[in-house]
Amino acid sequence: MSVTPKPATGTDTSKARLRLWLRMLKSARGVEAELRERLRTEFSSTLPRFDVMAALERYENGLKMSALSGVLRVSNGNVTGIVDRLAEDGLVVRVQVPGDRRATLVRLTRKGQQEFARQAAAHELWIDELLSDFGAEEATQLAARFEAVTHREEGQ
Amino acid sequence: MSVTPKPATGTDTSKARLRLWLRMLKSARGVEAELRERLRTEFSSTLPRFDVMAALERYENGLKMSALSGVLRVSNGNVTGIVDRLAEDGLVVRVQVPGDRRATLVRLTRKGQQEFARQAAAHELWIDELLSDFGAEEATQLAARFEAVTHREEGQ
DNA sequence: AAAAAGTATTTCAAGCTCAAAACATTTTTG
DNA sequence: CAAAAATGTTTTGAGCTTGAAATACTTTTT
Protein backbone atom coordinates (compact mmCIF):
# COMPACT_ATOMS: atom_id res chain seq x y z
CA MET A 1 0.00 0.00 0.00
CA SER A 2 1.87 3.05 -1.16
CA VAL A 3 0.79 6.51 -0.07
CA THR A 4 1.02 7.95 -3.57
CA PRO A 5 -0.98 5.83 -5.98
CA LYS A 6 1.30 4.01 -8.35
CA PRO A 7 1.20 5.75 -11.71
CA ALA A 8 0.06 3.42 -14.42
CA THR A 9 -0.54 3.83 -18.10
CA GLY A 10 -3.88 2.78 -19.47
CA THR A 11 -5.95 3.60 -16.39
CA ASP A 12 -9.43 4.93 -17.00
CA THR A 13 -8.42 8.10 -15.24
CA SER A 14 -5.19 8.56 -17.13
CA LYS A 15 -7.03 7.92 -20.40
CA ALA A 16 -9.63 10.54 -19.50
CA ARG A 17 -6.92 13.05 -18.62
CA LEU A 18 -5.14 12.36 -21.87
CA ARG A 19 -8.34 12.97 -23.82
CA LEU A 20 -8.93 16.18 -21.88
CA TRP A 21 -5.42 17.34 -22.69
CA LEU A 22 -5.83 16.59 -26.38
CA ARG A 23 -9.07 18.56 -26.43
CA MET A 24 -7.63 21.48 -24.51
CA LEU A 25 -4.67 21.60 -26.83
CA LYS A 26 -6.83 21.44 -29.93
CA SER A 27 -9.14 24.17 -28.63
CA ALA A 28 -6.34 26.46 -27.53
CA ARG A 29 -4.45 25.99 -30.78
CA GLY A 30 -7.59 26.62 -32.77
CA VAL A 31 -8.37 29.88 -31.03
CA GLU A 32 -4.72 30.90 -31.16
CA ALA A 33 -4.53 30.23 -34.89
CA GLU A 34 -7.62 32.34 -35.45
CA LEU A 35 -6.19 35.19 -33.38
CA ARG A 36 -2.88 35.05 -35.24
CA GLU A 37 -4.66 35.13 -38.55
CA ARG A 38 -6.79 38.12 -37.60
CA LEU A 39 -3.89 40.05 -36.10
CA ARG A 40 -1.99 39.40 -39.28
CA THR A 41 -4.68 40.41 -41.73
CA GLU A 42 -6.32 43.23 -39.77
CA PHE A 43 -3.32 44.75 -38.00
CA SER A 44 -0.26 43.36 -39.81
CA SER A 45 0.93 42.15 -36.44
CA THR A 46 1.53 38.93 -34.50
CA LEU A 47 0.52 37.36 -31.23
CA PRO A 48 3.95 37.73 -29.62
CA ARG A 49 3.95 41.44 -30.45
CA PHE A 50 0.45 41.75 -29.00
CA ASP A 51 1.55 39.91 -25.85
CA VAL A 52 4.51 42.22 -25.35
CA MET A 53 2.39 45.32 -25.81
CA ALA A 54 -0.26 43.93 -23.44
CA ALA A 55 2.38 43.41 -20.76
CA LEU A 56 3.77 46.92 -21.23
CA GLU A 57 0.27 48.36 -21.05
CA ARG A 58 -0.11 46.94 -17.55
CA TYR A 59 3.17 48.47 -16.41
CA GLU A 60 3.03 52.10 -17.36
CA ASN A 61 6.41 52.84 -15.85
CA GLY A 62 8.00 50.38 -18.19
CA LEU A 63 9.64 47.02 -17.65
CA LYS A 64 13.23 45.87 -17.78
CA MET A 65 13.92 43.31 -20.49
CA SER A 66 14.38 40.58 -17.91
CA ALA A 67 11.15 41.52 -16.14
CA LEU A 68 9.34 41.47 -19.46
CA SER A 69 10.51 37.97 -20.31
CA GLY A 70 9.64 36.96 -16.74
CA VAL A 71 6.08 38.26 -17.01
CA LEU A 72 5.58 36.62 -20.40
CA ARG A 73 7.35 33.44 -19.32
CA VAL A 74 9.49 33.29 -22.40
CA SER A 75 13.25 33.16 -22.77
CA ASN A 76 15.39 36.21 -22.37
CA GLY A 77 16.79 36.26 -25.86
CA ASN A 78 13.35 35.84 -27.30
CA VAL A 79 12.09 39.23 -26.21
CA THR A 80 15.09 41.03 -27.68
CA GLY A 81 14.02 40.48 -31.27
CA ILE A 82 10.36 41.27 -30.69
CA VAL A 83 11.18 44.51 -28.90
CA ASP A 84 13.67 45.36 -31.67
CA ARG A 85 10.91 45.16 -34.24
CA LEU A 86 8.34 46.99 -32.14
CA ALA A 87 10.92 49.74 -31.63
CA GLU A 88 11.55 49.96 -35.38
CA ASP A 89 7.84 50.58 -35.77
CA GLY A 90 7.90 53.29 -33.11
CA LEU A 91 5.54 51.40 -30.82
CA VAL A 92 7.98 51.02 -27.92
CA VAL A 93 11.16 52.73 -26.75
CA ARG A 94 14.16 51.54 -24.80
CA VAL A 95 15.11 53.90 -22.00
CA GLN A 96 18.40 53.72 -20.13
CA VAL A 97 18.06 52.99 -16.41
CA PRO A 98 19.78 55.84 -14.50
CA GLY A 99 21.79 53.95 -11.92
CA ASP A 100 22.60 50.84 -13.95
CA ARG A 101 24.25 50.90 -17.34
CA ARG A 102 23.43 47.26 -18.01
CA ALA A 103 19.68 47.57 -17.84
CA THR A 104 17.16 49.17 -20.15
CA LEU A 105 13.52 49.93 -19.51
CA VAL A 106 11.05 49.20 -22.29
CA ARG A 107 8.00 51.39 -22.54
CA LEU A 108 5.04 51.85 -24.86
CA THR A 109 5.18 55.09 -26.82
CA ARG A 110 2.02 57.19 -27.16
CA LYS A 111 1.65 55.69 -30.61
CA GLY A 112 2.10 52.25 -29.06
CA GLN A 113 -0.62 52.94 -26.50
CA GLN A 114 -3.05 54.05 -29.15
CA GLU A 115 -2.29 51.14 -31.43
CA PHE A 116 -2.61 48.68 -28.57
CA ALA A 117 -5.97 50.14 -27.54
CA ARG A 118 -7.32 49.51 -31.02
CA GLN A 119 -6.02 45.97 -31.12
CA ALA A 120 -7.13 45.11 -27.59
CA ALA A 121 -10.72 46.17 -28.32
CA ALA A 122 -10.80 43.98 -31.42
CA HIS A 123 -9.14 41.16 -29.50
CA GLU A 124 -11.82 41.17 -26.82
CA LEU A 125 -14.54 41.03 -29.44
CA TRP A 126 -12.85 38.12 -31.18
CA ILE A 127 -12.59 36.13 -27.97
CA ASP A 128 -16.20 36.93 -27.20
CA GLU A 129 -17.11 35.42 -30.53
CA LEU A 130 -14.78 32.43 -30.41
CA LEU A 131 -15.87 31.42 -26.91
CA SER A 132 -19.52 32.29 -27.42
CA ASP A 133 -20.53 28.78 -26.35
CA PHE A 134 -19.72 29.67 -22.77
CA GLY A 135 -21.99 31.87 -20.75
CA ALA A 136 -20.68 34.26 -18.10
CA GLU A 137 -21.17 31.79 -15.27
CA GLU A 138 -19.69 28.77 -16.95
CA ALA A 139 -16.73 30.80 -18.15
CA THR A 140 -16.06 32.01 -14.62
CA GLN A 141 -16.35 28.50 -13.23
CA LEU A 142 -14.05 26.98 -15.80
CA ALA A 143 -11.48 29.73 -15.38
CA ALA A 144 -11.39 28.98 -11.67
CA ARG A 145 -10.93 25.27 -12.35
CA PHE A 146 -7.94 25.93 -14.53
CA GLU A 147 -6.12 27.81 -11.83
CA ALA A 148 -5.26 24.37 -10.54
CA VAL A 149 -3.26 23.51 -13.64
CA THR A 150 -1.59 26.87 -13.74
CA HIS A 151 -0.56 26.74 -10.13
CA ARG A 152 0.87 23.27 -10.42
CA GLU A 153 3.42 24.81 -12.79
CA GLU A 154 5.74 26.51 -10.30
CA GLY A 155 5.22 29.96 -8.77
CA GLN A 156 2.54 32.35 -10.12
CA MET B 1 -34.24 44.18 -31.76
CA SER B 2 -31.52 42.29 -33.61
CA VAL B 3 -31.53 38.51 -33.67
CA THR B 4 -27.82 38.24 -32.95
CA PRO B 5 -26.98 40.19 -29.79
CA LYS B 6 -24.90 43.22 -30.59
CA PRO B 7 -21.28 42.54 -29.73
CA ALA B 8 -19.94 44.93 -27.14
CA THR B 9 -16.64 45.26 -25.39
CA GLY B 10 -16.62 45.45 -21.62
CA THR B 11 -19.68 43.26 -21.02
CA ASP B 12 -19.62 41.02 -17.96
CA THR B 13 -19.88 38.05 -20.25
CA SER B 14 -17.16 39.17 -22.60
CA LYS B 15 -14.90 39.91 -19.64
CA ALA B 16 -15.53 36.45 -18.23
CA ARG B 17 -14.77 34.87 -21.58
CA LEU B 18 -11.59 36.84 -21.88
CA ARG B 19 -10.47 35.69 -18.44
CA LEU B 20 -11.30 32.11 -19.37
CA TRP B 21 -9.25 32.40 -22.53
CA LEU B 22 -6.28 33.83 -20.69
CA ARG B 23 -6.44 30.98 -18.18
CA MET B 24 -6.81 28.32 -20.86
CA LEU B 25 -3.90 29.75 -22.74
CA LYS B 26 -1.71 29.91 -19.67
CA SER B 27 -2.60 26.35 -18.67
CA ALA B 28 -2.09 24.94 -22.12
CA ARG B 29 1.20 26.77 -22.58
CA GLY B 30 2.39 25.63 -19.18
CA VAL B 31 1.67 21.99 -19.87
CA GLU B 32 3.11 22.30 -23.35
CA ALA B 33 6.31 23.86 -22.06
CA GLU B 34 6.69 21.04 -19.57
CA LEU B 35 6.15 18.42 -22.26
CA ARG B 36 8.67 20.08 -24.56
CA GLU B 37 11.21 20.20 -21.79
CA ARG B 38 10.77 16.54 -20.92
CA LEU B 39 10.83 15.40 -24.54
CA ARG B 40 14.01 17.38 -24.97
CA THR B 41 15.85 16.12 -21.90
CA GLU B 42 14.57 12.55 -21.82
CA PHE B 43 14.28 11.75 -25.51
CA SER B 44 16.26 14.47 -27.29
CA SER B 45 13.13 15.21 -29.27
CA THR B 46 10.49 17.88 -29.73
CA LEU B 47 6.72 18.20 -29.60
CA PRO B 48 6.31 18.63 -33.37
CA ARG B 49 8.29 15.45 -33.95
CA PHE B 50 6.14 13.65 -31.40
CA ASP B 51 2.98 14.95 -33.07
CA VAL B 52 4.08 13.73 -36.47
CA MET B 53 4.96 10.30 -35.12
CA ALA B 54 1.64 10.11 -33.26
CA ALA B 55 -0.24 10.84 -36.48
CA LEU B 56 1.72 8.23 -38.41
CA GLU B 57 1.08 5.69 -35.67
CA ARG B 58 -2.65 6.04 -36.23
CA TYR B 59 -2.29 5.50 -39.97
CA GLU B 60 -0.27 2.36 -40.37
CA ASN B 61 -0.46 2.46 -44.14
CA GLY B 62 1.26 5.81 -44.16
CA LEU B 63 0.10 9.29 -45.03
CA LYS B 64 0.81 11.56 -47.93
CA MET B 65 2.59 14.76 -46.97
CA SER B 66 -0.52 16.80 -47.65
CA ALA B 67 -2.69 14.44 -45.60
CA LEU B 68 -0.18 14.66 -42.76
CA SER B 69 -0.26 18.43 -42.65
CA GLY B 70 -4.05 18.24 -42.91
CA VAL B 71 -4.34 15.92 -39.92
CA LEU B 72 -1.95 18.01 -37.86
CA ARG B 73 -3.50 21.26 -39.07
CA VAL B 74 -0.19 22.86 -39.86
CA SER B 75 1.08 24.28 -43.11
CA ASN B 76 2.35 22.12 -45.92
CA GLY B 77 5.88 23.39 -45.95
CA ASN B 78 6.11 22.97 -42.24
CA VAL B 79 5.94 19.21 -42.28
CA THR B 80 8.67 18.91 -44.91
CA GLY B 81 11.43 19.88 -42.52
CA ILE B 82 10.19 17.79 -39.62
CA VAL B 83 9.86 14.71 -41.78
CA ASP B 84 13.32 15.39 -43.24
CA ARG B 85 14.83 15.26 -39.78
CA LEU B 86 12.83 12.23 -38.66
CA ALA B 87 13.97 10.47 -41.83
CA GLU B 88 17.60 11.37 -41.11
CA ASP B 89 17.18 9.65 -37.77
CA GLY B 90 15.68 6.57 -39.41
CA LEU B 91 12.34 6.96 -37.66
CA VAL B 92 10.25 7.46 -40.80
CA VAL B 93 10.62 6.68 -44.50
CA ARG B 94 9.28 8.30 -47.62
CA VAL B 95 7.79 5.81 -50.05
CA GLN B 96 6.93 6.62 -53.65
CA VAL B 97 3.25 6.32 -54.46
CA PRO B 98 2.95 3.85 -57.39
CA GLY B 99 0.52 5.65 -59.66
CA ASP B 100 1.57 9.24 -58.93
CA ARG B 101 5.09 10.55 -59.25
CA ARG B 102 4.28 13.75 -57.36
CA ALA B 103 3.20 12.16 -54.13
CA THR B 104 5.12 10.38 -51.41
CA LEU B 105 3.80 8.34 -48.54
CA VAL B 106 5.39 8.82 -45.15
CA ARG B 107 5.51 5.87 -42.82
CA LEU B 108 6.97 5.00 -39.45
CA THR B 109 9.85 2.55 -39.64
CA ARG B 110 10.01 -0.32 -37.18
CA LYS B 111 12.53 1.71 -35.25
CA GLY B 112 10.11 4.64 -35.37
CA GLN B 113 7.29 2.51 -34.01
CA GLN B 114 9.41 1.27 -31.15
CA GLU B 115 10.70 4.72 -30.32
CA PHE B 116 7.22 6.20 -30.44
CA ALA B 117 5.88 3.50 -28.14
CA ARG B 118 8.48 4.44 -25.52
CA GLN B 119 7.72 8.12 -25.82
CA ALA B 120 3.94 7.70 -25.85
CA ALA B 121 4.01 5.71 -22.62
CA ALA B 122 6.07 8.41 -20.92
CA HIS B 123 3.83 11.08 -22.40
CA GLU B 124 0.70 9.53 -20.94
CA LEU B 125 2.30 9.36 -17.52
CA TRP B 126 3.36 13.00 -17.74
CA ILE B 127 -0.15 14.14 -18.62
CA ASP B 128 -1.54 12.02 -15.83
CA GLU B 129 0.75 13.88 -13.47
CA LEU B 130 0.25 17.37 -14.89
CA LEU B 131 -3.54 17.08 -14.91
CA SER B 132 -3.77 15.19 -11.64
CA ASP B 133 -6.17 17.81 -10.28
CA PHE B 134 -8.89 16.42 -12.50
CA GLY B 135 -10.59 13.15 -11.67
CA ALA B 136 -11.84 10.80 -14.36
CA GLU B 137 -15.34 12.20 -14.33
CA GLU B 138 -14.44 15.86 -14.36
CA ALA B 139 -11.90 15.28 -17.09
CA THR B 140 -14.51 13.56 -19.24
CA GLN B 141 -17.02 16.32 -18.62
CA LEU B 142 -14.58 19.08 -19.45
CA ALA B 143 -13.36 17.34 -22.56
CA ALA B 144 -16.95 17.17 -23.78
CA ARG B 145 -17.45 20.87 -23.06
CA PHE B 146 -14.45 21.78 -25.16
CA GLU B 147 -15.80 20.04 -28.21
CA ALA B 148 -17.89 23.15 -28.61
CA VAL B 149 -14.82 25.33 -29.14
CA THR B 150 -13.18 22.83 -31.42
CA HIS B 151 -16.25 22.44 -33.61
CA ARG B 152 -16.76 26.16 -33.91
CA GLU B 153 -13.42 26.19 -35.76
CA GLU B 154 -14.51 24.84 -39.14
CA GLY B 155 -14.84 21.16 -40.02
CA GLN B 156 -13.49 18.37 -37.73
C1' DA C 1 42.08 47.14 -5.16
C1' DA C 2 41.90 42.85 -7.45
C1' DA C 3 39.32 38.79 -7.97
C1' DA C 4 35.14 36.45 -7.90
C1' DA C 5 30.40 36.17 -8.10
C1' DG C 6 26.19 37.96 -9.64
C1' DT C 7 22.98 40.53 -12.81
C1' DA C 8 21.20 42.39 -17.42
C1' DT C 9 21.13 41.89 -22.05
C1' DT C 10 22.40 40.31 -26.66
C1' DT C 11 24.14 36.95 -29.91
C1' DC C 12 24.14 32.42 -31.79
C1' DA C 13 22.68 27.99 -33.81
C1' DA C 14 19.04 24.97 -34.45
C1' DG C 15 14.40 24.09 -35.09
C1' DC C 16 9.46 25.44 -35.72
C1' DT C 17 5.94 28.19 -38.13
C1' DC C 18 3.50 30.44 -41.79
C1' DA C 19 2.10 32.24 -46.44
C1' DA C 20 3.54 32.66 -50.86
C1' DA C 21 6.16 31.28 -54.73
C1' DA C 22 8.30 27.77 -57.41
C1' DC C 23 8.36 23.08 -59.40
C1' DA C 24 6.72 18.89 -60.92
C1' DT C 25 3.18 16.06 -62.35
C1' DT C 26 -1.59 14.82 -63.37
C1' DT C 27 -6.18 15.72 -64.91
C1' DT C 28 -9.48 18.34 -67.30
C1' DT C 29 -11.03 21.14 -71.06
C1' DG C 30 -11.41 23.33 -75.40
C1' DC D 1 -3.75 16.80 -78.58
C1' DA D 2 -2.38 21.03 -76.55
C1' DA D 3 -3.47 24.47 -73.28
C1' DA D 4 -5.26 25.26 -68.86
C1' DA D 5 -6.51 24.02 -64.35
C1' DA D 6 -5.78 21.28 -60.48
C1' DT D 7 -2.94 18.62 -57.29
C1' DG D 8 1.26 17.38 -54.45
C1' DT D 9 5.46 18.78 -52.65
C1' DT D 10 9.45 21.65 -51.68
C1' DT D 11 11.69 26.10 -51.37
C1' DT D 12 11.97 30.67 -49.67
C1' DG D 13 11.85 34.58 -46.59
C1' DA D 14 10.47 36.43 -42.34
C1' DG D 15 9.49 35.91 -37.65
C1' DC D 16 9.24 33.20 -33.25
C1' DT D 17 11.38 30.06 -29.83
C1' DT D 18 14.79 27.94 -26.99
C1' DG D 19 19.19 27.04 -24.32
C1' DA D 20 23.76 28.19 -24.23
C1' DA D 21 27.55 31.24 -24.90
C1' DA D 22 29.29 35.85 -25.12
C1' DT D 23 29.43 40.79 -23.43
C1' DA D 24 29.04 44.24 -20.36
C1' DC D 25 28.48 46.06 -16.14
C1' DT D 26 27.74 45.87 -10.79
C1' DT D 27 28.28 44.05 -6.28
C1' DT D 28 30.56 41.26 -2.98
C1' DT D 29 34.55 38.99 -1.19
C1' DT D 30 39.14 38.55 0.02
Side-chain angles (χ1 to χ4, degrees):
Chain A
M1 314 289 169
S2 51
V3 181
T4 40
K6 175 169 154 210
T9 207
T11 313
D12 276 3
T13 304
S14 78
K15 286 265 173 272
R17 285 176 181 145
L18 188 54
R19 269 195 302 273
L20 170 58
W21 166 241
L22 263 18
R23 277 270 163 263
M24 275 179 60
L25 188 58
K26 194 177 206 170
S27 301
R29 281 184 176 171
V31 173
E32 231 184 302
E34 192 60 33
L35 293 179
R36 280 179 204 284
E37 170 69 7
R38 295 188 185 184
L39 279 173
R40 189 177 70 86
T41 58
E42 298 189 22
F43 295 106
S44 302
S45 192
T46 67
L47 207 43
R49 286 166 61 107
F50 182 83
D51 289 344
V52 165
M53 288 201 282
L56 293 178
E57 237 284 322
R58 275 209 305 286
Y59 296 86
E60 298 186 52
N61 301 334
L63 278 174
K64 287 196 278 190
M65 290 297 283
S66 47
L68 190 47
S69 56
V71 167
L72 297 176
R73 298 174 158 287
V74 297
S75 71
N76 249 343
N78 187 353
V79 176
T80 298
I82 299 170
V83 168
D84 283 351
R85 283 178 284 273
L86 286 173
E88 276 172 24
D89 295 349
L91 299 171
V92 307
V93 271
R94 280 186 234 243
V95 186
Q96 278 301 312
V97 170
D100 191 337
R101 277 187 298 175
R102 294 167 302 181
T104 54
L105 228 46
V106 187
R107 223 190 287 218
L108 278 184
T109 60
R110 166 131 347 191
K111 181 182 171 193
Q113 286 169 5
Q114 290 170 352
E115 181 56 26
F116 178 72
R118 290 203 314 133
Q119 295 184 11
H123 178 264
E124 189 174 331
L125 249 36
W126 297 339
I127 295 298
D128 199 45
E129 174 201 338
L130 293 168
L131 297 193
S132 61
D133 283 310
F134 302 102
E137 271 183 58
E138 188 181 14
T140 305
Q141 261 185 333
L142 288 178
R145 253 344 248 126
F146 277 113
E147 298 240 26
V149 186
T150 306
H151 282 169
R152 175 162 301 272
E153 318 272 330
E154 48 149 333
Q156 172 56 202
Chain B
M1 313 290 171
S2 49
V3 180
T4 39
K6 176 169 151 208
T9 205
T11 314
D12 277 2
T13 304
S14 79
K15 287 262 173 275
R17 286 177 181 145
L18 188 54
R19 271 195 302 274
L20 170 58
W21 167 241
L22 264 18
R23 276 268 162 265
M24 273 179 63
L25 188 57
K26 195 176 207 170
S27 301
R29 280 185 177 170
V31 172
E32 231 183 300
E34 191 61 33
L35 293 180
R36 278 180 205 285
E37 170 69 7
R38 294 187 186 186
L39 278 173
R40 189 177 68 84
T41 58
E42 299 190 21
F43 295 105
S44 301
S45 193
T46 67
L47 207 42
R49 286 166 60 106
F50 182 82
D51 289 345
V52 165
M53 287 199 284
L56 293 179
E57 237 284 321
R58 274 210 306 286
Y59 297 85
E60 297 186 53
N61 300 334
L63 278 175
K64 286 196 278 191
M65 290 297 283
S66 47
L68 191 47
S69 55
V71 167
L72 297 175
R73 298 176 156 284
V74 298
S75 71
N76 247 343
N78 188 353
V79 176
T80 298
I82 299 169
V83 168
D84 282 351
R85 284 178 283 273
L86 286 174
E88 275 172 24
D89 295 349
L91 299 171
V92 306
V93 272
R94 279 188 236 244
V95 185
Q96 277 303 310
V97 170
D100 191 338
R101 276 186 300 175
R102 297 166 301 183
T104 53
L105 228 46
V106 187
R107 223 191 286 218
L108 278 184
T109 60
R110 168 135 339 196
K111 182 181 171 193
Q113 287 170 3
Q114 289 170 352
E115 182 56 25
F116 178 72
R118 288 202 318 133
Q119 296 184 9
H123 179 264
E124 188 175 334
L125 249 37
W126 297 339
I127 295 299
D128 198 47
E129 173 199 339
L130 293 167
L131 296 193
S132 61
D133 282 310
F134 302 102
E137 271 182 59
E138 189 181 13
T140 304
Q141 262 185 333
L142 289 177
R145 252 344 248 128
F146 277 113
E147 298 239 27
V149 187
T150 305
H151 281 169
R152 174 161 301 274
E153 318 272 330
E154 45 146 336
Q156 173 52 205

